Amino acid sequence: MEQMDVIDAQGQVVGRASRQEVYGQKLPHRIVHVMVEHEGKVFLQRRSLQMKFMPGHLCTSAGGHVDAGEAPLEAAQRELREELGLDSPLSLVAEFVFDDGHHRRIFLYRTRLDGAMRFSEREVGGGLFLAPEELGRLRDEPCHPQLLPCLEQMFPLSGGGARP
């Protein structure tokens, strides 16, 4: 059973719980997102239609939960390998709180595309590269709720493609 660290308001680990408990009880936890950049554009992943949560929605290049005992950087590297088949150096863009009634601390990383992506068929249904000035196109797309806040951290002057 997948275990995740439960955190306090300051982001310190205070316990562990199963994924089911974390979501059932809305326990605060950590999430990682990675943005892959290439030639001035960022890759946005389209979640596979096989995914239980938000199938077909656009999301960051790669992302997921931080497992119990795992450092956020390790989780980001793992997710990048699992979802896109990339093993690239990552740099931290931001650490921020996303709270839609369920507190999550997001660690956002960036990397440059340095090889061919190999999508996980189970998780990734494709994607697209967008330049910061093209992010307004996201208004017409189904998006994961953490995508726009991540884009706002990456491209603060563009508004992250915020919806009107």
Side-chain angles (χ1 to χ4, degrees):
M1 180 178 292
E2 180 184 8
Q3 293 280 302
M4 297 163 53
D5 288 330
V6 176
I7 59 170
D8 64 15
Q10 290 73 44
Q12 300 302 308
V13 175
V14 296
R16 287 188 177 175
S18 70
R19 181 180 181 139
Q20 185 176 5
E21 291 169 318
V22 164
Y23 280 93
Q25 299 173 38
K26 294 189 176 182
L27 300 173
H29 62 283
R30 299 174 297 175
I31 300 279
V32 293
H33 285 287
V34 180
M35 294 291 208
V36 175
E37 298 174 287
H38 182 66
E39 297 180 352
K41 297 183 177 189
V42 65
F43 178 73
L44 302 180
Q45 174 192 136
R46 186 166 307 277
R47 294 170 61 84
S48 167
L49 294 176
Q50 299 172 31
M51 295 295 287
K52 290 179 184 174
F53 182 70
M54 298 197 163
H57 284 59
L58 285 176
C59 194
T60 54
S61 305
H65 299 100
V66 178
D67 291 339
E70 188 177 38
L73 177 59
E74 293 170 328
Q77 291 167 327
R78 174 178 49 77
E79 293 291 349
L80 187 62
R81 273 191 306 275
E82 287 176 3
E83 295 180 16
L84 302 181
L86 297 174
D87 192 14
S88 306
L90 302 177
S91 59
L92 184 66
V93 173
E95 177 183 337
F96 63 99
V97 171
F98 178 83
D99 194 329
D100 58 358
H102 187 173
H103 180 100
R104 277 137 315 173
R105 182 168 292 269
I106 293 179
F107 293 81
L108 175 62
Y109 296 89
R110 73 185 337 151
T111 190
R112 300 247 181 253
L113 183 62
D114 64 354
M117 290 188 281
R118 293 178 310 281
F119 298 155
S120 162
E121 291 180 21
R122 186 179 61 81
E123 295 187 56
V124 182
L128 61 138
F129 281 94
L130 289 179
E133 62 272 13
E134 298 174 304
L135 295 176
R137 290 177 45 192
L138 298 178
R139 290 184 186 101
D140 301 323
E141 291 279 352
C143 293
H144 187 288
Q146 295 169 16
L147 174 59
L148 297 180
C150 286
L151 288 170
E152 289 166 2
Q153 294 289 328
M154 287 281 296
F155 308 109
L157 298 178
S158 75
R163 299 172 195 264

